[in-house]
Amino acid sequence: FFTSLIESIESVLSKHGYQLLLVNTHENWDTELSYLRTVNSSVVDGLILATTQTDWNTLKQNLPADLPVVLLDRKPKGCDIDCVWISTYHACHEALLKLIEWGHRKIGLIAARPSLSTSVERNNAYNDAISANNLEKFISPGDSLRNSSPKHYQELVGKGCTAILIANGRMTDDIIYYQ
């Protein structure tokens, strides 16, 4: 998702004479705050941000008042600016219903960080689909970071799960390359 998005953003920006500066906070608010301070003291024309912050007011206090900002993928509570994100609830819910249709009764979830709006959607889809079908929930709380999901995968397989929904792309990559 992010790779395609970044390529598209860079392509549009370069056509208009702008350069893209890309940083990665590794889901860490202190690191994000450090970069925001750099933005405050630099010549920056705008900011496109996939924030780790869950509260818009906290984030807003750390942004220059006149800086154009667009949020990506995550929408903090109380956010009143432009935000581009894709709802994943329906896709996750439909995937779970298909797994149930195929006969899976022990479906696990490696949950992503509960503070992220995208994680909340995916977790809600899991809870709704599993509850609606009177199935037992098998949730292992992940942290959305690289190399963190194999232990959760082992835990869920150990509990007899025959299918697992992984609520984050990075953790999914870990499991694909785990074996």
Side-chain angles (χ1 to χ4, degrees):
F1 171 75
F2 280 109
T3 303
S4 297
L5 193 59
I6 290 165
E7 287 175 357
S8 297
I9 290 169
E10 194 279 329
S11 176
V12 170
L13 289 176
S14 67
K15 287 178 185 174
H16 296 281
Y18 293 100
Q19 294 179 336
L20 177 66
L21 172 65
L22 181 66
V23 297
N24 186 348
T25 66
H26 301 282
E27 304 292 346
N28 182 296
W29 169 242
D30 291 332
T31 303
E32 184 175 328
L33 192 54
S34 172
Y35 285 129
L36 290 174
R37 288 186 184 120
T38 300
V39 166
N40 281 328
S41 64
S42 301
V43 178
V44 175
D45 295 313
L47 183 64
I48 301 171
L49 177 67
T51 185
T52 60
Q53 187 50 247
T54 59
D55 178 67
W56 169 240
N57 288 326
T58 302
L59 178 59
K60 190 176 182 177
Q61 291 171 4
N62 292 284
L63 295 170
D66 59 344
L67 183 70
V69 177
V70 175
L71 296 179
L72 288 180
D73 192 47
R74 300 156 184 186
K75 187 172 185 177
K77 291 178 183 151
C79 180
D80 61 357
I81 66 166
D82 290 333
C83 184
V84 178
W85 62 297
I86 299 168
S87 175
T88 58
Y89 176 92
H90 183 73
C92 289
H93 192 265
E94 289 298 310
L96 288 158
L97 294 180
K98 187 55 76 173
L99 290 170
I100 293 166
E101 179 184 315
W102 290 340
H104 293 280
R105 295 295 174 259
K106 287 189 170 186
I107 303 171
L109 170 68
I110 300 178
R113 293 179 59 201
S115 60
L116 303 176
S117 58
T118 50
S119 302
V120 170
E121 274 200 335
R122 295 166 190 165
N123 295 349
N124 288 344
Y126 176 85
N127 286 321
D128 291 350
I130 298 300
S131 294
N133 287 277
N134 298 313
L135 299 176
E136 184 178 355
K137 294 176 185 172
F138 296 91
I139 301 173
S140 187
D143 61 9
S144 305
L145 300 176
R146 183 146 326 277
N147 300 320
S148 66
S149 54
K151 66 182 176 190
H152 300 289
Y153 172 81
Q154 288 295 341
E155 173 192 337
L156 293 170
V157 169
K159 291 180 178 180
C161 290
T162 59
I164 298 172
L165 175 69
I166 306 170
N168 169 280
R170 185 176 294 145
M171 294 189 304
T172 301
D173 287 346
D174 284 348
I175 296 305
I176 289 171
Y177 298 108
Y178 172 67
Q179 302 221 358

